[in-house]
């Protein structure tokens, strides 16, 4: 009997192992199908982006300390990591190519998302077509998310407009001033100018946010040039100091909110966002070493897809008003967005698979 039981347990163990391998291979296939063959991605960066994008979904329905903690770093992290992975543009012809690429991949996508949101709103709350077109055009022109009088709310898509212009400002700045030590001063001045401007007026296309975001991108580029994430003792001590400072800021209720131009104690909250990003990046590398969490890179690798799904999930248009608990709203919206994203990735994987068969 013991021999029979042993054989049954062995078969069961082998079956579980095969099932686990199939799931792992399936997830890896989706990852590969979502990435261009020529693209060399850094896994821990995708992990950090995954943490930030999932917290973004949660943060929009959170409150209290959770809200403060999430908003202390989550959107600046994307700008910083963009700078970390950005290739240096050394010529004006290369700069023009970057603008063209960003326009096709980012600006047009942002415009499309605003149009789709307008269609969603129209289907649930019919209005005059002329008014819908006017609101949509104004939304594209301003690219802002907030309650400023006369501005149309474009939701999370403000990020795409800000990123588009921030990358242009960043690459142009590095072309004009080659040395990152000097152009860092320029980006810092521009960031402060963006802050001062935003306290008076909000610029079209979220350009005032872009001035601040360009500084965050520069921070990422400097971290890469100095090989900061290298498992050195200096890295560990810096990250530990950043953790202490970050927690102190969160405990004090400080956080940056780029979308609505909220920069309490501007310099402190800028440094807080950098500190939080350093800690999350350090943690991300540890999470990559476990099979339990390594699959999360899928969300980071496809963060723009989740951003767009979050933008169009009908929460504010329809079903959000039915939920009166912030905890339920956080959980339910996260589940809905993740399920929709999973469906999108599976469909894209199947389409890619058929093309290669």
């Amino acid at each position: 009997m013991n021999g029979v039981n042993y054989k049954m347990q062995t078969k069961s163990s082998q079956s579980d192992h095969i099932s686990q391998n199939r799931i792992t291979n399936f997830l890896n296939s989706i990852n590969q199908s979502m990435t261009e063959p020529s693209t060399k991605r850094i896994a821990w960066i995708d992990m950090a982006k995954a943490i930030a994008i999932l917290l973004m979904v949660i943060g929009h329905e959170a409150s209290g300390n959770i809200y403060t903690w999430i908003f202390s770093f989550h959107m600046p992290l994307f700008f910083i990591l963009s700078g970390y992975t950005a290739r240096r543009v050394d010529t004006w012809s290369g700069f023009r190519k970057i603008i063209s690429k960003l326009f096709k991949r980012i600006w047009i996508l942002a415009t499309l998302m605003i149009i789709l949101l307008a269609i969603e709103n129209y289907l649930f709350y019919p209005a005059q077509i002329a008014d819908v077109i006017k609101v949509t055009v104004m939304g594209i022109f301003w690219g802002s998310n907030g309650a400023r009088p006369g501005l149309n709310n474009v939701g999370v898509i403000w990020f795409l407009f800000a990123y588009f212009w921030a990358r242009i400002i960043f690459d142009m700045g590095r072309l004009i001033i080659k040395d990152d030590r000097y152009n860092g001063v320029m980006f810092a001045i521009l960031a402060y100018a963006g802050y001062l401007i935003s306290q008076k007026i909000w610029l079209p296309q979220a350009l005032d946010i872009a001035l601040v975001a360009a500084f965050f991108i520069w921070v990422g580029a400097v971290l890469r040039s100095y090989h900061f994430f290298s498992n050195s003792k200096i890295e560990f001590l810096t990250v530990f100091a950043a953790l202490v400072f970050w927690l102190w800021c969160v405990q004090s209720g400080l956080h940056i909110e780029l979308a609505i131009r909220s920069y309490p104690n501007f310099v402190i909250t800028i440094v807080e966002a950098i500190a939080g990003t350093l800690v999350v990046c350090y943690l991300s590398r540890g999470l990559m070493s476990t099979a339990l969490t390594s699959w999360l890179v899928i969300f980071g690798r496809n963060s723009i897809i989740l951003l767009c799904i979050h933008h169009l999930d009908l929460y504010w248009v329809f079903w959000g008003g039915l939920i009166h608990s912030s905890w339920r709203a956080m959980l339910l919206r996260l589940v809905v967005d993740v399920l929709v994203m999973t469906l999108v990735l599976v469909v894209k994987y199947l389409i890619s698979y058929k093309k290669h068969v």
Side-chain angles (χ1 to χ4, degrees):
M1 290 293 291
N2 289 336
V4 173
N5 289 335
Y6 175 77
K7 289 180 179 179
M8 292 178 64
Q9 290 173 1
T10 302
K11 289 181 178 180
S12 177
S13 176
Q14 291 175 343
S15 177
D16 291 342
H17 183 69
I18 292 172
S19 298
Q20 185 176 2
N21 284 340
R22 286 176 177 173
I23 294 172
T24 302
N25 291 335
F26 176 69
L27 293 175
N28 288 336
S29 298
I30 291 179
N31 265 331
Q32 292 169 4
S33 69
M34 294 297 105
T35 309
E36 297 176 8
S38 61
T39 302
K40 293 183 179 179
R41 302 190 68 98
I42 303 173
W44 67 261
I45 288 182
D46 287 327
M47 176 65 79
K49 288 181 178 180
I51 293 172
I53 198 69
L54 292 172
L55 287 177
M56 179 206 72
V57 176
I58 294 172
H60 287 154
E61 311 314 320
S63 59
N65 291 333
I66 295 177
Y67 181 89
T68 300
W69 172 64
I70 293 174
F71 276 80
S72 68
F73 78 95
H74 75 310
M75 298 316 283
L77 177 143
F78 286 103
F79 292 118
I80 292 172
L81 291 184
S82 170
Y84 192 88
T85 57
R87 295 181 180 179
R88 187 170 195 123
V89 180
D90 295 316
T91 64
W92 288 103
S93 61
F95 177 63
R96 288 190 291 271
K97 290 179 181 179
I98 285 291
I99 293 177
S100 176
K101 181 179 177 181
L102 288 170
F103 181 77
K104 293 174 183 176
R105 294 188 177 185
I106 302 299
W107 197 91
I108 290 180
L109 175 63
T111 300
L112 176 62
M113 288 300 108
I114 293 175
I115 292 172
L116 291 176
L117 183 64
I119 293 173
E120 282 188 352
N121 277 285
Y122 177 77
L123 293 176
F124 281 86
Y125 306 102
Q128 295 292 327
I129 295 296
D131 293 335
V132 174
I133 294 174
K134 179 182 177 181
V135 168
T136 303
V137 171
M138 290 292 289
I140 295 170
F141 177 77
W142 289 104
S144 289
N145 177 22
R148 276 288 177 101
L151 298 189
N152 302 95
N153 195 322
V154 300
V156 294
I157 298 306
W158 68 267
F159 171 81
L160 295 180
F161 286 118
Y163 175 73
F164 172 78
W165 291 107
R167 274 298 305 272
I168 291 175
I169 293 168
F170 170 73
D171 287 326
M172 181 184 291
R174 289 181 107 193
L175 268 175
I176 295 171
I177 303 177
K178 303 293 185 180
D179 193 322
D180 280 333
R181 294 173 298 176
Y182 295 107
N183 61 37
V185 174
M186 175 184 65
F187 289 129
I189 293 172
L190 288 176
Y192 191 65
Y195 158 68
L196 293 177
I197 291 170
S198 69
Q199 304 310 294
K200 301 295 183 181
I201 58 171
W202 290 7
L203 297 181
Q205 293 278 285
L207 271 168
D208 51 299
I209 302 177
L211 292 172
V212 178
F215 175 76
F216 283 129
I217 296 175
W218 172 82
V219 170
V222 170
L223 289 173
R224 180 65 178 265
S225 65
Y226 283 95
H227 306 286
F228 178 79
F229 297 107
S230 57
N231 291 317
S232 65
K233 186 176 180 180
I234 293 177
E235 179 200 3
F236 173 76
L237 293 175
T238 304
V239 169
F240 185 79
L243 174 62
V244 174
F245 178 76
W246 184 33
L247 293 178
W248 174 80
C249 289
V250 173
Q251 187 66 26
S252 302
L254 294 173
H255 67 277
I256 192 170
E257 199 164 347
L258 293 170
I260 60 171
R261 285 74 162 179
S262 176
Y263 310 97
N265 297 303
F266 180 72
V267 174
I268 293 178
T269 48
I270 290 291
V271 177
E272 175 192 18
I274 297 170
T277 297
L278 294 180
V279 175
V280 171
C281 288
Y282 189 82
L283 175 64
S284 297
R285 286 155 60 201
L287 291 173
M288 284 303 306
S289 62
T290 65
L292 182 65
T293 55
S294 59
W295 59 271
L296 283 171
V297 297
I298 294 174
F299 294 101
R301 192 160 293 180
N302 301 282
S303 55
I304 287 186
I305 294 178
L306 186 54
L307 179 81
C308 294
I309 290 171
H310 184 66
H311 173 70
L312 298 173
D313 65 4
L314 295 172
Y315 181 83
W316 291 112
V317 178
F318 170 59
W319 57 280
L322 304 176
I323 305 170
H324 305 293
S325 166
S326 62
W327 283 98
R328 291 177 183 174
M330 284 189 290
L331 179 61
L332 189 56
R333 195 171 190 189
L334 179 64
V335 169
V336 168
D337 289 2
V338 167
L339 287 177
V340 173
M341 180 176 176
T342 302
L343 179 62
V344 170
L345 293 182
V346 169
V347 170
K348 293 196 73 172
Y349 164 71
L350 292 175
I351 293 173
S352 175
Y353 179 78
K354 288 181 179 179
K355 287 182 179 178
H356 292 87
V357 172

